[in-house]
Amino acid sequence: MQKKGILKAGKIAPHFTLPSSDGSRLSLKKFFGKPIILVFYPADWSRVCGSQLALYNEVFPEFQKYNAQLLAISVDGPNSHAEYAKQNGLKFPLLSDFEPKGEVAKKYGVYSSKGGVTERALFVIANDGRIVWSYRSPMGVNPGADGILKALESIDKKGK
Amino acid sequence: MPKFKIETTDHLRGKIQAPVILLEYGDYQCEFCKSAEVVIQNLRQSFGSKLAFVFRNFPITSKHPKAFGLACFAESSKNEKEFWKRYDALMSSVKISAKEINAAAKNSKIRRKIDIDISTGVRSGVNGTPCFFINGRRYDGEQNYTAMFEYIQKKLETRK
């Protein structure tokens, strides 16, 4: 069977509900009506992931200018997420794609069955639930925030 | 907007006409930035006038609470000579008094300069610190002397 590729711009973002680092269960649909940034990352507590999430935490005010909601997703369990979010003072929720493992990542075409983790990938979803931009980064490379900001700017311009 | 062009307001070591410009976005509390400083010094020694070094601020205050204040201290220098003296001191972990840091951090013009560095950095693709751009392209290789020397050497060879 051919591996499903990363979902591209134009597709409707698949719905999901996942446990969150704050103890709740969060549904993607809850955030429809505003831009959504989905950050799939391999694991809590790893160096590249740490610096990637720290970067997004630092530039969070830039995302807020677009009224965007950031949701970060890995296959780590809720307890790991809760501790990691607390230790790093994260301003956005971490969601557990834990059970069934990687189910949401598979829907988005970003699950690495070889490593048993989500790949490092970004999606920006417009107010209507449609993906406007997606990007898969090499596992060892922090993709930064410039692609996210360009996508948010394009949503903002279309809305004006 | 991304900002790869080197301007007169940038902190430059070497000549702006150098064939290779090594631009760093850094954080004075970041241990990786301090380690990279040795690499940068060795690269500058190896390449001489063929390499220019530019530093811009990217304090990640969510991980390094004092970083923004230290950046303000460096930026409050009277001239470039003083800036680089302060830069070297900060990269060597010389302690600066809270009084000096707080005085510098009150200056809105200085704060604005650092905010602009952060904003242009994010949009240029800064993905953590230290983040290097070599002739306008983000360098994602190993941040050791050998790897960076080889990369810069190839840049010089392709210009011939």
Side-chain angles (χ1 to χ4, degrees):
Chain A
M1 190 193 292
Q2 219 175 15
K3 186 186 171 184
K4 184 180 163 185
I6 182 171
L7 284 188
K8 299 277 188 211
K11 297 282 187 193
I12 293 289
H15 176 61
F16 59 79
T17 299
L18 290 174
S20 169
S21 46
D22 65 5
S24 67
R25 287 181 67 81
L26 286 184
S27 292
L28 183 67
K29 279 185 184 159
K30 177 185 170 179
F31 303 103
F32 280 0
K34 56 162 78 174
I36 302 167
I37 306 162
L38 290 186
V39 176
F40 287 90
Y41 67 102
D44 297 336
W45 312 107
S46 73
R47 193 194 156 209
V48 178
C49 303
S51 65
Q52 183 183 358
L53 297 187
L55 175 72
Y56 297 155
N57 214 41
E58 192 65 30
V59 304
F60 197 70
E62 297 286 327
F63 299 147
Q64 286 183 308
K65 285 178 188 170
Y66 300 95
N67 194 33
Q69 174 67 47
L70 192 155
L71 303 171
I73 304 173
S74 79
V75 296
D76 294 289
N79 289 339
S80 173
H81 276 346
E83 190 56 31
Y84 190 72
K86 183 181 166 190
Q87 271 209 27
N88 290 280
L90 297 181
K91 297 169 187 165
F92 44 85
L94 304 182
L95 306 185
S96 271
D97 194 12
F98 180 71
E99 177 60 38
K101 192 177 186 191
E103 184 180 63
V104 173
K106 286 172 190 168
K107 287 181 185 175
Y108 282 79
V110 293
Y111 183 70
S112 167
S113 50
K114 191 178 170 187
V117 293
T118 62
E119 294 180 328
R120 198 176 299 282
L122 303 171
F123 294 83
V124 174
I125 301 165
N127 306 33
D128 62 357
R130 201 166 293 271
I131 296 169
V132 298
W133 177 75
S134 66
Y135 174 72
R136 178 193 277 116
S137 177
M139 283 294 220
V141 177
N142 176 341
D146 53 317
I148 296 172
L149 288 168
K150 275 187 205 135
L152 291 174
E153 276 158 18
S154 74
I155 294 171
D156 196 52
K157 276 182 186 158
K158 279 185 187 154
K160 283 183 177 149
Chain B
M1 290 287 286
K3 185 181 165 195
F4 300 115
K5 191 183 164 199
I6 308 306
E7 295 177 353
T8 51
T9 48
D10 274 313
H11 299 298
L12 171 73
R13 266 179 160 160
K15 301 279 185 206
I16 200 164
Q17 302 90 350
V20 176
I21 308 274
L22 174 63
L23 164 61
E24 178 191 354
Y25 280 86
D27 170 323
Y28 291 110
Q29 249 193 302
C30 166
E31 289 305 317
F32 296 109
C33 295
K34 291 176 185 181
S35 300
E37 182 54 23
V38 176
V39 173
I40 295 163
Q41 285 174 15
N42 288 338
L43 288 170
R44 289 186 61 230
Q45 203 164 23
S46 297
F47 288 107
S49 60
K50 293 179 191 162
L51 179 70
F53 172 64
V54 176
F55 181 82
R56 289 183 188 155
N57 299 286
F58 204 88
I60 301 190
T61 50
S62 55
K63 284 185 95 70
H64 305 133
K66 294 180 183 173
F68 194 93
L70 293 174
C72 288
F73 171 74
E75 292 296 335
S76 66
S77 302
K78 289 193 277 303
N79 51 47
E80 277 302 281
K81 190 176 172 185
E82 188 174 81
F83 170 79
W84 287 112
K85 196 174 165 189
R86 290 187 179 192
Y87 168 91
D88 290 337
L90 290 170
M91 286 299 180
S92 304
S93 302
V94 168
K95 293 269 182 282
I96 310 296
S97 72
K99 190 179 170 187
E100 283 181 289
I101 293 170
N102 293 339
K106 281 181 185 159
N107 186 318
S108 59
K109 202 172 164 186
I110 288 171
R111 296 181 73 89
R112 177 85 186 119
K113 199 260 181 192
I114 295 165
D115 284 341
I116 289 171
D117 277 1
I118 295 169
S119 183
T120 56
V122 166
R123 282 162 175 76
S124 300
V126 170
N127 58 3
T129 58
C131 186
F132 294 107
F133 292 83
I134 297 176
N135 283 3
R137 182 173 284 226
R138 193 179 73 200
Y139 171 76
D140 286 332
E142 292 291 327
Q143 290 175 352
N144 59 54
Y145 173 81
T146 306
M148 293 185 76
F149 178 93
E150 282 174 7
Y151 187 92
I152 293 169
Q153 184 75 347
K154 275 200 184 107
K155 285 281 176 192
L156 287 168
E157 283 166 4
T158 53
R159 286 176 67 93
K160 285 178 188 165

